[in-house]
Amino acid sequence: MTTFRAARGTRDLLPTETPRWTALERPADDLAARYGYQRIETPMLEQTGVFERGVGEVTDIVEKELFRIAPRTEEGESWSLRPEPTAGIVRAYVQHGMQTWPQPVKLAMTGPMFRYDRPQAGRYRQFWQFDIEAIGDPGPAIDAEIIELGTRFYADAGLTGVEVQLNTIGDPACRPAYIEVLTAWYRQRTAQLPAFELGRLERNPLRLLDSKDPSMVALNGHAPRITDHLCDACAQHFAAVQEHLHVLGVPFRVEPGLVRGLDYYTRTAFEFYIAGREGQQQALGGGGRYDGLVELLGGRPTPGIGFGIGLDRLILALDEQGVTPAVAVAPVAVVVGADPDDTVGRLRIATALRAAGIPARAELGRRKLGKQLEAAARDGAHFAVILGDELASGDVQVRDLPAGSQKVVPVSGLAREI
Ligand code: HAM
């Protein structure tokens, strides 16, 4: 017989793990709302062009990691699972005419993303992101506000030691000239470039800058820096973002090699790390400004900025720091009975308790009372509601399990008593 397993790089989140997720997803929603971000949901699949055009054709995400859906649809269109939410959200912004709404449009989403990458610890083919996007504000104040929001999310989750790495990658006014300088610099050193990086040099030279290949890391220390080639507007923007972060008390480190793996970025780029744990699989989250993306996807020129925080990696980091949120899943009350066959009586009382808002479970098996009480204690219930002879006069016994005390309570006042 074939036995089936979850697809490679994907995993089941079992009830033993899901409370960890709930403990992040709810605060993510609340925090986003507190900062004025409203929830949006976009489909998990989009026309492939949304990602090819939005994220960029010469990026790892599109070249190597896109989950393309085969066969092509009847309309002859090609579809892919979303590797990230920003392109789809911007597609929705354009499609629904959100440029006529009061700007900026501030949107939040938490959900699964898909990248066909080689799975390993902290890198999955299905992973979850908490994503924030503010579309229609050119910054720089909102850049700092968004970075501060990210750091607050980590702090609220109980994670310590998070460092913000910050850079700017210029804009269409200054980046092309910088890319020429950079390309020329690498061309003079082709002998030192690994074959793969040599292949990317002519197609997307910026990507070489954040190569994790050890020989490249050494080389890149000497590469020309974008911060020395910014136009005035980009330089002013970068300085103002830093000024705002200082005032908000958000520590950050300027990292000239930070270029991000997606092509839509302009100006502000940032990533979140545990200090000292930088590496390809170590980014806890990242984001930046994408002032050209709305136009690229068919809208009017509109600036935007956002971030994506990886929840899987956040949970790994919390585990490493020994932070386990206490999430109550135990029923408050378990309804048991002396007559094993009276499932109707037990179910009726549990139903009434639940209707009154009390987490309750009825013993639906037909085991003896002693066993039922043992199971209630094992569940971590606070109260056992025991149906016995008193039921004839409208009463039940309520046992406080941790205290070991017991008293008779009328059924009519049971919910209130509990
Ligand atoms: P990204 O840096 O590609 O940015 O992903 C954001 C975060 O998602 C990463 O820092 C990491 O924590 C997590 N992540 C990425 N790939 C994986 C994976 N294979 N397994 C587990 N976690 C992963 C974006 O996706 C942009 N959309 C962020 C953004 C929003 N920029 C502007 N707005």
Side-chain angles (χ1 to χ4, degrees), residues 29-331:
D29 284 350
D30 293 347
L31 193 63
R34 212 187 306 159
Y35 280 70
Y37 289 79
Q38 292 183 296
R39 181 172 160 191
I40 183 169
E41 291 293 337
T42 62
M44 287 190 211
L45 50 135
E46 294 276 350
Q47 284 181 279
T48 303
V50 170
F51 306 121
E52 286 174 340
R53 212 180 302 164
V55 174
E57 277 182 285
V58 187
T59 56
D60 284 353
I61 291 180
V62 169
E63 270 188 325
K64 297 196 264 172
E65 299 170 7
L66 215 49
F67 264 100
R68 293 169 192 271
I69 295 173
R72 285 163 173 258
T73 61
E74 320 75 73
E75 301 92 43
E77 290 170 328
S78 134
W79 303 85
S80 296
L81 293 180
R82 63 183 184 199
E84 62 97 49
T86 313
I89 289 176
V90 169
R91 189 267 311 140
Y93 177 91
V94 174
Q95 178 178 341
H96 302 286
M98 292 189 214
Q99 69 272 9
T100 63
W101 299 9
Q103 305 290 300
V105 177
K106 294 162 82 177
L107 303 167
M109 182 163 102
T110 300
M113 309 297 150
F114 305 86
R115 294 185 193 178
Y116 188 77
D117 202 348
R118 204 160 45 81
Q120 51 184 263
R123 189 164 73 190
Y124 309 102
R125 288 182 173 170
Q126 178 177 351
F127 59 97
W128 275 258
Q129 274 189 11
F130 165 40
D131 180 84
I132 283 285
E133 310 290 351
I135 309 176
D137 186 327
I142 199 160
D143 304 32
E145 186 185 56
I146 277 196
I147 293 170
E148 190 274 333
L149 163 51
T151 59
R152 185 162 306 274
F153 177 63
Y154 291 117
D156 286 357
L159 194 70
T160 50
V162 175
E163 184 188 69
V164 177
Q165 294 190 6
L166 181 71
N167 197 23
T168 176
I169 51 171
D171 69 3
C174 53
R175 201 178 343 177
Y178 168 67
I179 287 179
E180 265 180 40
V181 171
L182 187 68
T183 310
W185 189 85
Y186 279 124
R187 280 201 196 118
Q188 285 161 9
R189 290 162 182 79
T190 47
Q192 291 164 259
L193 299 182
F196 177 67
E197 303 297 355
L198 203 54
R200 294 206 289 190
L201 174 57
E202 301 305 326
R203 295 182 298 146
N204 198 346
L206 267 189
R207 305 292 312 132
L208 273 63
L209 274 183
D210 73 346
S211 167
K212 300 301 183 266
D213 188 294
S215 66
M216 290 297 290
V217 173
L219 186 67
N220 285 337
H222 306 285
R225 298 181 163 195
I226 178 100
T227 38
D228 296 328
H229 296 264
L230 295 175
C231 58
D232 287 348
C234 283
Q236 276 164 21
H237 189 101
F238 192 41
V241 172
Q242 296 179 59
E243 211 177 283
H244 282 79
L245 285 172
H246 281 309
V247 173
L248 293 180
V250 178
F252 62 91
R253 183 155 68 83
V254 173
E255 177 48 63
L258 178 72
V259 290
R260 306 278 300 134
L262 303 90
D263 277 357
Y264 49 62
Y265 290 113
T266 51
R267 296 190 169 171
T268 311
F270 57 91
E271 276 175 345
F272 302 106
Y273 288 93
I274 296 289
R277 299 280 306 271
E278 295 116 64
Q280 209 159 22
Q281 265 68 73
Q282 306 288 356
L284 292 171
R289 180 160 281 289
Y290 46 84
D291 293 345
L293 184 57
V294 175
E295 194 179 2
L296 209 56
L297 293 179
R300 284 206 306 258
T302 309
I305 182 166
F307 67 62
I309 282 180
L311 295 185
D312 312 69
R313 288 187 194 171
L314 174 52
I315 286 174
L316 286 175
L318 287 169
D319 283 344
E320 276 180 27
Q321 294 189 0
V323 185
T324 32
V327 183
V329 285

Side-chain angles (χ1 to χ4, degrees), residues 395-412:
D395 293 328
V396 290
Q397 299 266 359
V398 174
R399 184 180 296 182
D400 183 321
L401 290 167
S405 57
Q406 191 163 318
K407 63 173 160 181
V408 176
V409 174
V411 171
S412 55

